[in-house]
Every structure is written in C-alpha cells, then in structure tokens.
Amino acid sequence: DQIVFTLEKETIPYWNKFLQGYYDASGISSDSFDQAVQVNVGGEATVTDAMKAQGITLSTAVATSTMYTGFNWLDPVVGGCASSTSAPSPQPSPDDGRGGKRNDSSCNPEKARKLRQAIAITVDFEEFVSIFFNGRGIAAQSPIPPGIFGYREGEAGINHTVYDWVNGAPKRKSIATAKQLLAEAGYPNGVDAQTGQPLVINLDTTASGAGDKSRIDWLRKQFDKINVQLVARSTDYNRFQDKIRKGDTQMFYFGWNADYPDPENFLFLLSSEQAKVSKGGENAANYSNPEYEQLFEQMKNMENSPARQAIIDRMLEIVRRDSPWLWGY
C-alpha cells in the first residue's frame, strides 16, 4: 500500500545498506563491481557466489541514453562555422577561447571536418568504457542507442568514418589513419602548417572531482596519440551553461536520455532548428547541414517503416561523415 523512497548522497553507504537488506535494488558502482559481479569465459556477467548466497540476482539492460562529446560548429578551428540556415542573430562576436574574437571568415569546413574525423578515430571509447565503467556500456555508432527504431545491429550499423568491419566485428581505424586526416586538415604531426604553432583544443567541463581528473587525464592521453594538446577548462555549472548558450566553447561533454522511444528524440539534437546559440534549442553543437535538415523534417512524424529506416540511414551517414559529436557511449 505504500512506496518508500530514500535519497542516499553517497554510493558506498547506499551499497552497504542494500547488502544489509534495507533496499530492494541497487545499481553497482565501479568500486563495488568486483565484489558483486563475475564474468565467465563466455563474457556473460553474473553475480558472485557471495551475492547468490544472499538471494541477489543481476539484471542488465542497455539504457536508451547516449553520452557524447560535442564540437561547437561555430568555432573556426573545430566547427563548420555558421551557415545561412543557422546563423545567430546579430550580436557581438563570442570570445574564441584564446582571448580574441572569432573571425568567421577564417572558417574552413572541409579542414575542420577532417580534424573532427581524426579526433573521432583517436578517442577510444571502447577503452574508456572498459576502464571507467567496468565494461558496462557500448561505444556508440550514432546518436541512436539500441532499443530505438533506426538503430541497426552488425555491419549495417557501424560508423564507417571511424570503424572498419573486420572478422565480423567493428574495428577502430588506426592512429596512422587519424594522423593522415590531421595532416590533410593542415596540422601535420599536430602543428599548424600555416603558423608553425602546436594545435591546442579546449574542452569546457564542470568536472572537478578526483574521479573526473583521471578521466580528463585519460582524454589528454588520447589526444597525445596524434600530438594534439588538449586543455581542460573547468568551470562551475552556471558559467558552463552560459558558455554553451553563447557558443563560447570548442568541445564539451553532454548526454541525452530518451524522453520517448522514437528516433526523432535523438536526431532532433542535431537539427539546426534546435541550434543552441540562434534558437535556444537542444542542439548544443550548433550543427547545421541542409540535407540533414530536409531529411529530418521528412522523417520526424513518419510511422516506423522501411521508408523511415532508409531516411534515417541516410541521415546517420551524413552526421557520421560530418562528425559534429564524438559519438561516445
């Protein structure tokens, strides 16, 4: 006749109370994972014998959530810059993150796209999930997670910009491929060919805890593989949101939980009508591609069907090539 809900502020006391029988269910933190879960030779996860003895069982599912790292499309280095379909209303030019004002005349969409593709290949999210989430999670191939219409299993669903299909599984392209793309973008060995200066990319983040530091250090090491310098600019949440609203970022972490089980609820995150700077929407990357936009308008209210799947497939190929996000996990 009643439900009791208690908020625990720390994961370890919560876990210990679960083991003592105070709670009926609990997630498993990274610190408790080895105590609770064992993985057999077939890769299947089960609870440990000690957990079984207490009558505890394990329930697993892939959530309809995606965590990603976005590139700001309005930034001249990593972005495609504003197109006529998404240009913000007249206002002072945002700071370029290095003390100056952005000069949109310096935008080079092709150069920026190859830079984003190089970074997308370099940042190994399979390793990230293995290290920081005990293997709980899958590297994303697009904005659409498993369980949502439009997601494809197997070779049909991989991001061919970042992966090759080898022996029945996706294999991340080599660092040599990433370095080649970086050179084609004008940054051979991580150096700007025009200025001779090292390429520096800024990541805006609210991360400040001990665990967050290890993740940022890991990310820096990923960028080191192609000799690109990553600078993490930590800030409080309000200031971070202000930067996102003004387009005063280069890279940032974001995530999305499905509001309802439809691909529109993920694909709209890249619609220019949802651009954060010009429209105040949920497209924090300010991404804009006219073909994607046209297909989105056609797809968004369709019933699930082979025709809708075909449109989604084309939309995903467009954004995989443009790489406005590191698709994350």
Side-chain angles (χ1 to χ4, degrees):
D1 294 329
Q2 68 175 2
I3 293 172
V4 177
F5 183 90
T6 307
L7 175 65
E8 290 284 352
K9 294 183 179 180
E10 299 288 342
T11 58
I12 293 176
Y14 176 33
W15 175 250
N16 287 335
K17 288 179 184 179
F18 165 70
L19 295 180
Q20 294 168 38
Y22 287 98
Y23 296 134
D24 296 321
S26 172
I28 308 169
S29 70
S30 296
D31 294 333
S32 306
F33 190 79
D34 290 339
Q35 175 191 0
V37 175
Q38 59 189 5
V39 180
N40 62 27
V41 291
E44 182 182 358
T46 60
V47 293
T48 59
D49 293 339
M51 297 289 109
K52 286 178 184 175
Q54 289 186 252
I56 294 170
T57 59
L58 181 68
S59 176
T60 63
V62 178
T64 51
S65 303
T66 185
M67 305 299 294
Y68 66 90
T69 304
F71 295 100
N72 179 15
W73 212 247
L74 306 181
D75 182 86
V77 177
V78 302
C81 305
S83 73
S84 59
T85 60
S86 67
S89 56
Q91 59 183 331
S93 296
D95 191 300
D96 69 353
R98 291 168 291 278
K101 299 297 180 183
R102 285 205 303 263
N103 175 11
D104 285 347
S105 65
S106 67
C107 292
N108 187 323
E110 180 65 20
K111 180 177 176 179
R113 180 168 65 241
K114 289 187 176 183
L115 172 59
R116 294 190 302 272
Q117 290 175 348
I119 294 171
I121 292 169
T122 301
V123 181
D124 187 341
F125 279 102
E126 287 84 1
E127 182 179 293
F128 181 89
V129 169
S130 174
I131 293 172
F132 296 104
F133 291 105
N134 311 101
R136 292 174 292 168
I138 59 172
Q141 303 288 338
S142 78
I144 302 177
I148 299 293
F149 181 83
Y151 178 86
R152 284 190 181 273
E153 297 282 356
E155 185 175 6
I158 73 167
N159 177 2
H160 289 282
T161 298
V162 176
Y163 295 87
D164 294 316
W165 189 256
V166 179
N167 296 326
K171 181 180 180 182
R172 188 172 289 270
K173 292 181 186 290
S174 67
I175 293 300
T177 302
K179 287 183 175 180
Q180 177 62 36
L181 284 166
L182 192 66
E184 292 173 9
Y187 305 103
N189 204 33
V191 174
D192 190 320
Q194 293 183 328
T195 66
Q197 297 296 313
L199 175 60
V200 178
I201 303 293
N202 295 305
L203 172 73
D204 282 286
T205 174
T206 57
S208 58
D212 295 320
K213 181 182 182 303
S214 62
R215 296 184 190 191
I216 290 172
D217 287 345
W218 175 87
L219 192 56
R220 284 198 185 100
K221 290 177 181 177
Q222 300 298 299
F223 278 71
D224 285 345
K225 293 189 290 191
I226 53 173
N227 300 312
V228 174
Q229 297 180 27
L230 180 71
V231 175
R233 303 191 297 192
S234 296
T235 185
D236 63 68
Y237 186 73
N238 288 341
R239 173 68 180 130
F240 173 77
Q241 289 290 344
D242 190 52
K243 285 184 173 185
I244 293 290
R245 282 193 295 269
K246 293 179 178 177
D248 186 15
T249 61
Q250 281 190 307
M251 293 182 69
F252 55 89
Y253 294 135
F254 254 23
W256 189 260
N257 299 314
D259 296 305
Y260 41 87
D262 191 88
E264 182 273 341
N265 192 231
F266 289 91
L267 297 175
F268 93 113
L269 297 170
L270 293 166
S271 165
S272 61
E273 287 301 310
Q274 286 286 328
K276 181 67 74 175
V277 171
S278 61
K279 307 285 187 179
E282 296 296 343
N283 178 0
N286 300 293
Y287 172 70
S288 176
N289 181 300
E291 184 185 358
Y292 179 90
E293 199 63 35
Q294 181 181 5
L295 292 168
F296 176 76
E297 290 299 319
Q298 185 180 347
M299 176 281 307
K300 66 179 183 180
N301 293 322
M302 292 176 69
E303 294 292 329
N304 291 341
S305 64
R308 194 184 199 204
Q309 180 70 65
I311 294 172
I312 291 170
D313 289 344
R314 176 59 189 154
M315 293 173 71
L316 295 184
E317 284 307 303
I318 292 169
V319 294
R320 285 162 175 161
R321 179 173 179 268
D322 284 347
S323 297
W325 296 356
L326 302 181
W327 304 112
Y329 57 94

